[in-house]
Amino acid sequence: MLDVVVLVSGGGTNLQAIIDAVEAGSITNTRITGVISNNKNAYALERAKKHGIANRCISPKKFASREAFNDKFIEAIDEWKPDLIVLAGFLVVIPPAMIEKYRNRIINIHPSLIPSFCGTGFYGLKVHEAALARGVKVVGATVHFVDEGTDTGPIILQKAVEVEQGDTPEVLQKRVMEQAEWKILPHAIDLIANGKVSVCDGKAVISL
Ligand code: GRF
């Protein structure tokens, strides 16, 4: 059984997609043991509560220094002894000590086809604004392992989504979520839970 802790900052639609997939049996051998938000008003926390999932808020703002927050944050994660940590729209930088400790056991969903529109400053709507400004015709989403860089870890799954005439960043963001993020994030968790993902020479390999 894969014990998963999900980290969130906002609405939690990706968290919801994971919860729904576990409940529907399309993610197998998995239970969500906890949800952590850095933002106490995140609707994601309500979603966890509604499904009886343990949840808590730990905000960097409540600590005197980033180091003090990082220590407490890692301690909170460790308490739930996760096999996998899922960043589902989590906007806080992951402490290097946590990346080291949970090497290839932290995954992130990014709303573009990496290496396009990723790295520092590319988050949320900014990704979609940049894609529309460049005039690309295909966008998408990526699930990847988290390493020390920003969006640089081994890529597990990607899915393409077409840009349509007249798209606004908001419309495009919604389509990328519906057609890509909510599908590949649960799928990646299911693959990991069933031992089908390994990392070799810095690249994720899927065995089917
Ligand atoms: C998603 O677009 C995700 O890719 C990201 O932030 C958004 C989170 O949405 N980086 P939600 O909280 O899962 O609804």
Side-chain angles (χ1 to χ4, degrees):
M1 188 61 86
L2 189 84
D3 282 347
V4 175
V5 168
V6 184
L7 309 186
V8 294
S9 298
T13 60
N14 279 287
L15 168 67
Q16 190 68 53
I18 300 167
I19 294 172
D20 292 348
V22 169
E23 291 182 354
S26 49
I27 295 178
T28 55
N29 298 325
T30 298
R31 64 183 167 213
I32 306 170
T33 48
V35 170
I36 296 179
S37 172
N38 62 304
N39 164 14
K40 69 173 175 18
N41 298 318
Y43 186 66
L45 288 173
E46 293 305 315
R47 296 180 192 271
K49 279 176 209 157
K50 279 188 191 159
H51 290 265
I53 300 167
N55 59 88
R56 60 183 293 189
C57 171
I58 307 174
S59 168
K61 291 181 194 149
K62 294 271 164 67
F63 293 83
S65 67
R66 184 52 75 139
E67 290 68 31
F69 164 76
N70 285 349
D71 290 348
K72 194 73 202 168
F73 180 49
I74 297 175
E75 210 179 288
I77 301 261
D78 287 348
E79 272 174 32
W80 277 325
K81 298 188 174 52
D83 299 306
L84 182 71
I85 298 164
V86 177
L87 313 185
F90 188 58
L91 297 176
V92 175
V93 175
I94 301 300
M98 186 169 142
I99 294 170
E100 183 64 40
K101 186 165 192 176
Y102 289 93
R103 175 83 52 203
N104 296 334
R105 287 189 290 152
I106 308 175
I107 64 171
N108 180 48
I109 178 83
H110 182 76
S112 79
L113 294 173
I114 291 173
S116 290
F117 309 114
C118 65
T120 308
F122 286 101
Y123 61 89
L125 268 187
K126 290 177 192 291
V127 174
H128 307 289
E129 283 163 4
L132 290 177
R134 183 62 183 84
V136 295
K137 305 301 181 227
V138 175
V139 292
T142 302
V143 181
H144 64 91
F145 285 112
V146 172
D147 68 6
E148 281 75 3
T150 305
D151 303 325
T152 53
I155 291 170
I156 304 167
L157 291 177
Q158 295 188 296
K159 190 165 190 296
V161 173
E162 289 194 10
V163 177
E164 292 177 16
Q165 203 76 34
D167 271 349
T168 62
E170 290 80 6
V171 167
L172 188 57
Q173 179 182 51
K174 187 159 179 279
R175 189 178 315 116
V176 169
M177 285 178 146
E178 286 171 355
Q179 294 185 7
E181 295 182 43
W182 301 343
K183 292 186 162 66
I184 62 174
L185 186 57
H187 187 199
I189 295 170
D190 184 58
L191 289 170
I192 293 168
N194 289 285
K196 292 183 174 164
V197 183
S198 55
V199 177
C200 187
D201 293 336
K203 294 182 192 69
V205 180
I206 313 236
S207 52
L208 295 171

